[in-house]
PDB file of all heavy atoms in Angstrom:
ATOM      1  N   PRO A   1      18.662  -1.603 -28.170  1.00  0.00           N
ATOM      2  CA  PRO A   1      17.354  -1.917 -27.570  1.00  0.00           C
ATOM      3  C   PRO A   1      17.354  -3.310 -26.905  1.00  0.00           C
ATOM      4  O   PRO A   1      16.684  -3.466 -25.876  1.00  0.00           O
ATOM      5  CB  PRO A   1      16.410  -1.896 -28.806  1.00  0.00           C
ATOM      6  CG  PRO A   1      17.056  -0.946 -29.727  1.00  0.00           C
ATOM      7  CD  PRO A   1      18.506  -1.178 -29.608  1.00  0.00           C
ATOM      8  N   ASP A   2      18.042  -4.280 -27.472  1.00  0.00           N
ATOM      9  CA  ASP A   2      18.181  -5.594 -26.818  1.00  0.00           C
ATOM     10  C   ASP A   2      19.207  -5.628 -25.706  1.00  0.00           C
ATOM     11  O   ASP A   2      19.051  -6.357 -24.771  1.00  0.00           O
ATOM     12  CB  ASP A   2      18.495  -6.662 -27.895  1.00  0.00           C
ATOM     13  CG  ASP A   2      17.449  -6.858 -28.925  1.00  0.00           C
ATOM     14  OD1 ASP A   2      16.254  -6.709 -28.563  1.00  0.00           O
ATOM     15  OD2 ASP A   2      17.757  -7.082 -30.089  1.00  0.00           O
ATOM     16  N   ARG A   3      20.229  -4.813 -25.866  1.00  0.00           N
ATOM     17  CA  ARG A   3      21.303  -4.786 -24.904  1.00  0.00           C
ATOM     18  C   ARG A   3      20.850  -4.021 -23.610  1.00  0.00           C
ATOM     19  O   ARG A   3      21.253  -4.401 -22.497  1.00  0.00           O
ATOM     20  CB  ARG A   3      22.542  -4.116 -25.464  1.00  0.00           C
ATOM     21  CG  ARG A   3      23.795  -4.160 -24.690  1.00  0.00           C
ATOM     22  CD  ARG A   3      25.003  -3.613 -25.476  1.00  0.00           C
ATOM     23  NE  ARG A   3      25.377  -4.530 -26.562  1.00  0.00           N
ATOM     24  CZ  ARG A   3      25.200  -4.198 -27.874  1.00  0.00           C
ATOM     25  NH1 ARG A   3      24.663  -3.119 -28.216  1.00  0.00           N
ATOM     26  NH2 ARG A   3      25.588  -5.116 -28.802  1.00  0.00           N
ATOM     27  N   PHE A   4      20.051  -2.967 -23.813  1.00  0.00           N
ATOM     28  CA  PHE A   4      19.586  -2.158 -22.660  1.00  0.00           C
ATOM     29  C   PHE A   4      18.076  -2.039 -22.653  1.00  0.00           C
ATOM     30  O   PHE A   4      17.526  -0.922 -22.827  1.00  0.00           O
ATOM     31  CB  PHE A   4      20.242  -0.734 -22.840  1.00  0.00           C
ATOM     32  CG  PHE A   4      21.734  -0.751 -22.951  1.00  0.00           C
ATOM     33  CD1 PHE A   4      22.343  -0.239 -24.064  1.00  0.00           C
ATOM     34  CD2 PHE A   4      22.552  -1.241 -21.918  1.00  0.00           C
ATOM     35  CE1 PHE A   4      23.738  -0.169 -24.185  1.00  0.00           C
ATOM     36  CE2 PHE A   4      23.898  -1.226 -22.024  1.00  0.00           C
ATOM     37  CZ  PHE A   4      24.512  -0.703 -23.154  1.00  0.00           C
ATOM     38  N   PRO A   5      17.382  -3.125 -22.459  1.00  0.00           N
ATOM     39  CA  PRO A   5      15.891  -3.085 -22.537  1.00  0.00           C
ATOM     40  C   PRO A   5      15.247  -2.274 -21.429  1.00  0.00           C
ATOM     41  O   PRO A   5      14.116  -1.798 -21.567  1.00  0.00           O
ATOM     42  CB  PRO A   5      15.511  -4.558 -22.402  1.00  0.00           C
ATOM     43  CG  PRO A   5      16.640  -5.158 -21.606  1.00  0.00           C
ATOM     44  CD  PRO A   5      17.860  -4.465 -22.078  1.00  0.00           C
ATOM     45  N   GLY A   6      16.010  -1.973 -20.347  1.00  0.00           N
ATOM     46  CA  GLY A   6      15.428  -1.287 -19.242  1.00  0.00           C
ATOM     47  C   GLY A   6      15.227   0.247 -19.468  1.00  0.00           C
ATOM     48  O   GLY A   6      14.458   0.864 -18.832  1.00  0.00           O
ATOM     49  N   LEU A   7      15.919   0.743 -20.475  1.00  0.00           N
ATOM     50  CA  LEU A   7      15.886   2.176 -20.718  1.00  0.00           C
ATOM     51  C   LEU A   7      14.470   2.693 -21.068  1.00  0.00           C
ATOM     52  O   LEU A   7      14.012   3.715 -20.587  1.00  0.00           O
ATOM     53  CB  LEU A   7      16.894   2.571 -21.830  1.00  0.00           C
ATOM     54  CG  LEU A   7      16.963   4.054 -22.150  1.00  0.00           C
ATOM     55  CD1 LEU A   7      17.414   4.872 -20.960  1.00  0.00           C
ATOM     56  CD2 LEU A   7      17.980   4.291 -23.275  1.00  0.00           C
ATOM     57  N   LYS A   8      13.755   1.902 -21.886  1.00  0.00           N
ATOM     58  CA  LYS A   8      12.436   2.367 -22.302  1.00  0.00           C
ATOM     59  C   LYS A   8      11.410   2.346 -21.162  1.00  0.00           C
ATOM     60  O   LYS A   8      10.350   2.985 -21.258  1.00  0.00           O
ATOM     61  CB  LYS A   8      11.926   1.424 -23.362  1.00  0.00           C
ATOM     62  CG  LYS A   8      11.625  -0.010 -22.996  1.00  0.00           C
ATOM     63  CD  LYS A   8      11.132  -0.843 -24.148  1.00  0.00           C
ATOM     64  CE  LYS A   8      10.857  -2.312 -23.778  1.00  0.00           C
ATOM     65  NZ  LYS A   8      12.083  -3.036 -23.457  1.00  0.00           N
ATOM     66  N   LEU A   9      11.772   1.719 -20.002  1.00  0.00           N
ATOM     67  CA  LEU A   9      10.841   1.715 -18.910  1.00  0.00           C
ATOM     68  C   LEU A   9      10.654   3.101 -18.337  1.00  0.00           C
ATOM     69  O   LEU A   9       9.619   3.343 -17.658  1.00  0.00           O
ATOM     70  CB  LEU A   9      11.375   0.757 -17.812  1.00  0.00           C
ATOM     71  CG  LEU A   9      11.435  -0.731 -18.166  1.00  0.00           C
ATOM     72  CD1 LEU A   9      12.028  -1.521 -17.001  1.00  0.00           C
ATOM     73  CD2 LEU A   9      10.090  -1.286 -18.587  1.00  0.00           C
ATOM     74  N   ALA A  10      11.555   4.005 -18.556  1.00  0.00           N
ATOM     75  CA  ALA A  10      11.412   5.378 -18.068  1.00  0.00           C
ATOM     76  C   ALA A  10      10.162   6.029 -18.666  1.00  0.00           C
ATOM     77  O   ALA A  10       9.341   6.528 -17.947  1.00  0.00           O
ATOM     78  CB  ALA A  10      12.667   6.200 -18.385  1.00  0.00           C
ATOM     79  N   TRP A  11      10.081   6.033 -19.985  1.00  0.00           N
ATOM     80  CA  TRP A  11       8.962   6.676 -20.649  1.00  0.00           C
ATOM     81  C   TRP A  11       7.644   5.901 -20.313  1.00  0.00           C
ATOM     82  O   TRP A  11       6.588   6.540 -20.179  1.00  0.00           O
ATOM     83  CB  TRP A  11       9.201   6.742 -22.151  1.00  0.00           C
ATOM     84  CG  TRP A  11      10.271   7.768 -22.490  1.00  0.00           C
ATOM     85  CD1 TRP A  11      10.116   9.067 -22.719  1.00  0.00           C
ATOM     86  CD2 TRP A  11      11.665   7.497 -22.606  1.00  0.00           C
ATOM     87  NE1 TRP A  11      11.313   9.694 -23.003  1.00  0.00           N
ATOM     88  CE2 TRP A  11      12.296   8.734 -22.933  1.00  0.00           C
ATOM     89  CE3 TRP A  11      12.478   6.349 -22.462  1.00  0.00           C
ATOM     90  CZ2 TRP A  11      13.681   8.854 -23.134  1.00  0.00           C
ATOM     91  CZ3 TRP A  11      13.852   6.496 -22.665  1.00  0.00           C
ATOM     92  CH2 TRP A  11      14.430   7.746 -23.003  1.00  0.00           C
ATOM     93  N   GLN A  12       7.739   4.574 -20.262  1.00  0.00           N
ATOM     94  CA  GLN A  12       6.522   3.855 -19.943  1.00  0.00           C
ATOM     95  C   GLN A  12       5.990   4.146 -18.546  1.00  0.00           C
ATOM     96  O   GLN A  12       4.797   4.349 -18.329  1.00  0.00           O
ATOM     97  CB  GLN A  12       6.796   2.333 -20.066  1.00  0.00           C
ATOM     98  CG  GLN A  12       7.100   1.848 -21.473  1.00  0.00           C
ATOM     99  CD  GLN A  12       7.460   0.390 -21.516  1.00  0.00           C
ATOM    100  OE1 GLN A  12       7.425  -0.332 -20.504  1.00  0.00           O
ATOM    101  NE2 GLN A  12       7.914  -0.095 -22.748  1.00  0.00           N
ATOM    102  N   SER A  13       6.927   4.256 -17.563  1.00  0.00           N
ATOM    103  CA  SER A  13       6.521   4.595 -16.193  1.00  0.00           C
ATOM    104  C   SER A  13       6.008   5.998 -16.061  1.00  0.00           C
ATOM    105  O   SER A  13       5.040   6.238 -15.308  1.00  0.00           O
ATOM    106  CB  SER A  13       7.746   4.387 -15.254  1.00  0.00           C
ATOM    107  OG  SER A  13       8.145   3.024 -15.254  1.00  0.00           O
ATOM    108  N   LEU A  14       6.588   6.941 -16.787  1.00  0.00           N
ATOM    109  CA  LEU A  14       6.084   8.349 -16.728  1.00  0.00           C
ATOM    110  C   LEU A  14       4.698   8.449 -17.335  1.00  0.00           C
ATOM    111  O   LEU A  14       3.934   9.337 -16.944  1.00  0.00           O
ATOM    112  CB  LEU A  14       7.075   9.245 -17.459  1.00  0.00           C
ATOM    113  CG  LEU A  14       8.402   9.567 -16.721  1.00  0.00           C
ATOM    114  CD1 LEU A  14       9.379  10.225 -17.650  1.00  0.00           C
ATOM    115  CD2 LEU A  14       8.139  10.449 -15.500  1.00  0.00           C
ATOM    116  N   SER A  15       4.379   7.565 -18.270  1.00  0.00           N
ATOM    117  CA  SER A  15       3.066   7.616 -18.896  1.00  0.00           C
ATOM    118  C   SER A  15       2.012   6.813 -18.210  1.00  0.00           C
ATOM    119  O   SER A  15       0.826   6.862 -18.521  1.00  0.00           O
ATOM    120  CB  SER A  15       3.151   7.124 -20.368  1.00  0.00           C
ATOM    121  OG  SER A  15       4.093   7.898 -21.083  1.00  0.00           O
ATOM    122  N   ALA A  16       2.433   6.054 -17.147  1.00  0.00           N
ATOM    123  CA  ALA A  16       1.521   5.152 -16.400  1.00  0.00           C
ATOM    124  C   ALA A  16       0.964   5.905 -15.207  1.00  0.00           C
ATOM    125  O   ALA A  16       1.163   7.091 -15.014  1.00  0.00           O
ATOM    126  CB  ALA A  16       2.254   3.900 -16.012  1.00  0.00           C
ATOM    127  N   ALA A  17       0.252   5.170 -14.319  1.00  0.00           N
ATOM    128  CA  ALA A  17      -0.362   5.758 -13.146  1.00  0.00           C
ATOM    129  C   ALA A  17       0.685   6.388 -12.225  1.00  0.00           C
ATOM    130  O   ALA A  17       1.861   5.928 -12.138  1.00  0.00           O
ATOM    131  CB  ALA A  17      -1.164   4.654 -12.438  1.00  0.00           C
ATOM    132  N   SER A  18       0.272   7.424 -11.533  1.00  0.00           N
ATOM    133  CA  SER A  18       1.117   8.073 -10.528  1.00  0.00           C
ATOM    134  C   SER A  18       1.652   7.055  -9.523  1.00  0.00           C
ATOM    135  O   SER A  18       0.852   6.245  -8.955  1.00  0.00           O
ATOM    136  CB  SER A  18       0.393   9.224  -9.811  1.00  0.00           C
ATOM    137  OG  SER A  18       1.174   9.774  -8.782  1.00  0.00           O
ATOM    138  N   GLY A  19       2.922   7.048  -9.285  1.00  0.00           N
ATOM    139  CA  GLY A  19       3.538   6.087  -8.363  1.00  0.00           C
ATOM    140  C   GLY A  19       4.274   4.982  -9.073  1.00  0.00           C
ATOM    141  O   GLY A  19       5.019   4.248  -8.452  1.00  0.00           O
ATOM    142  N   THR A  20       4.102   4.842 -10.357  1.00  0.00           N
ATOM    143  CA  THR A  20       4.706   3.745 -11.131  1.00  0.00           C
ATOM    144  C   THR A  20       6.245   3.870 -11.105  1.00  0.00           C
ATOM    145  O   THR A  20       6.952   2.863 -11.036  1.00  0.00           O
ATOM    146  CB  THR A  20       4.188   3.734 -12.561  1.00  0.00           C
ATOM    147  OG1 THR A  20       2.753   3.540 -12.551  1.00  0.00           O
ATOM    148  CG2 THR A  20       4.855   2.580 -13.374  1.00  0.00           C
ATOM    149  N   CYS A  21       6.732   5.147 -11.140  1.00  0.00           N
ATOM    150  CA  CYS A  21       8.191   5.312 -11.092  1.00  0.00           C
ATOM    151  C   CYS A  21       8.752   4.832  -9.805  1.00  0.00           C
ATOM    152  O   CYS A  21       9.897   4.332  -9.755  1.00  0.00           O
ATOM    153  CB  CYS A  21       8.516   6.779 -11.340  1.00  0.00           C
ATOM    154  SG  CYS A  21       8.062   7.464 -12.950  1.00  0.00           S
ATOM    155  N   ALA A  22       8.015   5.000  -8.711  1.00  0.00           N
ATOM    156  CA  ALA A  22       8.435   4.485  -7.384  1.00  0.00           C
ATOM    157  C   ALA A  22       8.522   2.970  -7.390  1.00  0.00           C
ATOM    158  O   ALA A  22       9.436   2.374  -6.825  1.00  0.00           O
ATOM    159  CB  ALA A  22       7.500   4.982  -6.336  1.00  0.00           C
ATOM    160  N   VAL A  23       7.587   2.316  -8.070  1.00  0.00           N
ATOM    161  CA  VAL A  23       7.541   0.843  -8.197  1.00  0.00           C
ATOM    162  C   VAL A  23       8.825   0.422  -8.924  1.00  0.00           C
ATOM    163  O   VAL A  23       9.518  -0.523  -8.571  1.00  0.00           O
ATOM    164  CB  VAL A  23       6.267   0.379  -8.879  1.00  0.00           C
ATOM    165  CG1 VAL A  23       6.353  -1.158  -9.091  1.00  0.00           C
ATOM    166  CG2 VAL A  23       5.069   0.775  -8.119  1.00  0.00           C
ATOM    167  N   LEU A  24       9.126   1.047 -10.049  1.00  0.00           N
ATOM    168  CA  LEU A  24      10.261   0.740 -10.857  1.00  0.00           C
ATOM    169  C   LEU A  24      11.554   0.904 -10.076  1.00  0.00           C
ATOM    170  O   LEU A  24      12.396  -0.010 -10.070  1.00  0.00           O
ATOM    171  CB  LEU A  24      10.318   1.659 -12.107  1.00  0.00           C
ATOM    172  CG  LEU A  24      11.587   1.513 -12.967  1.00  0.00           C
ATOM    173  CD1 LEU A  24      11.693   0.078 -13.528  1.00  0.00           C
ATOM    174  CD2 LEU A  24      11.529   2.505 -14.123  1.00  0.00           C
ATOM    175  N   ASN A  25      11.682   1.950  -9.309  1.00  0.00           N
ATOM    176  CA  ASN A  25      12.868   2.179  -8.532  1.00  0.00           C
ATOM    177  C   ASN A  25      13.060   1.117  -7.455  1.00  0.00           C
ATOM    178  O   ASN A  25      14.192   0.560  -7.312  1.00  0.00           O
ATOM    179  CB  ASN A  25      12.801   3.570  -7.830  1.00  0.00           C
ATOM    180  CG  ASN A  25      14.053   3.812  -6.983  1.00  0.00           C
ATOM    181  OD1 ASN A  25      15.135   4.131  -7.457  1.00  0.00           O
ATOM    182  ND2 ASN A  25      13.922   3.670  -5.651  1.00  0.00           N
ATOM    183  N   ALA A  26      11.995   0.754  -6.760  1.00  0.00           N
ATOM    184  CA  ALA A  26      12.121  -0.286  -5.736  1.00  0.00           C
ATOM    185  C   ALA A  26      12.465  -1.667  -6.326  1.00  0.00           C
ATOM    186  O   ALA A  26      13.337  -2.322  -5.817  1.00  0.00           O
ATOM    187  CB  ALA A  26      10.797  -0.362  -4.969  1.00  0.00           C
ATOM    188  N   ALA A  27      11.817  -1.979  -7.391  1.00  0.00           N
ATOM    189  CA  ALA A  27      12.147  -3.261  -8.110  1.00  0.00           C
ATOM    190  C   ALA A  27      13.562  -3.289  -8.544  1.00  0.00           C
ATOM    191  O   ALA A  27      14.251  -4.338  -8.327  1.00  0.00           O
ATOM    192  CB  ALA A  27      11.218  -3.385  -9.278  1.00  0.00           C
TER     193      ALA A  27
END
């Protein structure tokens, strides 16, 4: 979890507002 903190962003983005996954990808 500390070595790969970005992994959990997948589930967080899928649960957030539509378009959040696009924001994550661009960032």
Side-chain angles (χ1 to χ4, degrees):
D2 295 325
R3 191 174 289 110
F4 306 118
L7 183 58
K8 65 179 181 294
L9 296 178
W11 289 272
Q12 292 176 7
S13 297
L14 285 168
S15 301
S18 175
T20 301
C21 296
V23 177
L24 174 61
N25 179 77

